[in-house]
Amino acid sequence: MSFPLHNQPPPPPAAAQATGERRLRKGYIACLVSLATTLAVFAVLLVMGVDARQPAPDFLAEPDRELEVELELGEEHVGELGLYSQLYEGGCAFTTPSGEPGLSRSQTVTQFDYGDEEWHLIRTMEIPEAGTYRFVCDNENADFGIASTHVADTARNRQLVWGLTWLGLPAIGLITTATIAAVTFLRDRREKAAAPVPG
């Protein structure tokens, strides 16, 4: 026993055209939304600036203009410690657990400052062993602080990541916007070419 096959008639041209127009309208709206989002992100990045925000050092003692402190340094501090200040001036000396004068070297001026108070790494001090160190620093115009050099050692990597983010996010947004616009435009042309010519 056979059953007749019922083929659905194709949608009328007006309905097909309306569906295509709705699809195209959504494509152009998506393109505008993508462009607006890209511009908003770029505006935020402009406000934040091209320089990465560097964190403040984790000071081992309260910073002071006349810093005189004894610090019990463990094995985790062996290597180097940083002397930070807002200005590249003043003097600082320290003694090792054996009573010998400690060795330090000055740092060149860099583009980086750390934390909201704009600390600069001005000297690195050699820490050859664990034990009690005595630091005496004097600066009439700015505070001194002693901390790990980690924030300074990783500053360039932090700036690199921020620079890639600063350039990459707008670029991705523009590429996405251009892709949506191109796809929508090509679909528009294809559907116009396929539309029946009124007789």
Side-chain angles (χ1 to χ4, degrees), residues 3-186:
F3 297 93
L5 296 176
H6 298 282
N7 295 325
Q8 293 184 350
Q17 183 177 0
T19 302
E21 288 178 353
R22 283 196 299 271
R23 191 185 307 118
L24 292 173
R25 189 159 53 244
K26 289 181 180 179
Y28 287 123
I29 291 174
C31 180
L32 291 175
V33 170
S34 177
L35 180 60
T37 303
T38 301
L39 293 176
V41 169
F42 187 59
V44 172
L45 292 174
L46 282 177
V47 171
M48 297 180 68
V50 297
D51 293 329
R53 297 192 176 189
Q54 306 288 346
D58 186 12
F59 292 114
L60 302 178
E62 187 70 24
D64 197 351
R65 293 190 178 186
E66 296 181 358
L67 184 65
E68 186 171 345
V69 64
E70 286 189 355
L71 296 176
E72 187 69 28
L73 302 180
E75 294 293 337
E76 68 274 14
H77 299 116
V78 172
E80 287 184 340
L81 282 180
L83 179 68
Y84 295 84
S85 184
Q86 290 99 345
L87 300 174
Y88 285 87
E89 59 183 46
C92 191
F94 70 103
T95 55
T96 66
S98 61
E100 297 293 326
L103 300 177
S104 66
R105 64 180 183 276
S106 61
Q107 297 294 306
T108 57
V109 179
T110 69
Q111 70 182 88
F112 302 115
D113 52 61
Y114 309 100
D116 294 335
E117 296 183 358
E118 298 183 352
W119 294 97
H120 302 283
L121 176 63
I122 63 173
R123 298 192 73 84
T124 52
M125 301 174 290
E126 295 185 13
I127 308 299
E129 59 182 327
T132 302
Y133 288 75
R134 185 171 184 268
F135 300 86
V136 179
C137 305
D138 182 31
N139 189 339
E140 294 182 356
N141 300 313
D143 290 342
F144 276 124
I146 298 171
S148 166
T149 61
H150 177 72
V151 293
D153 296 338
T154 56
R156 292 191 182 280
N157 291 338
R158 203 175 293 111
Q159 180 62 47
L160 176 61
V161 171
W162 176 247
L164 293 175
T165 301
W166 209 92
L167 295 174
L169 287 180
I172 292 173
L174 290 176
I175 292 172
T176 301
T177 302
T179 301
I180 295 173
V183 170
T184 305
F185 176 75
L186 293 175

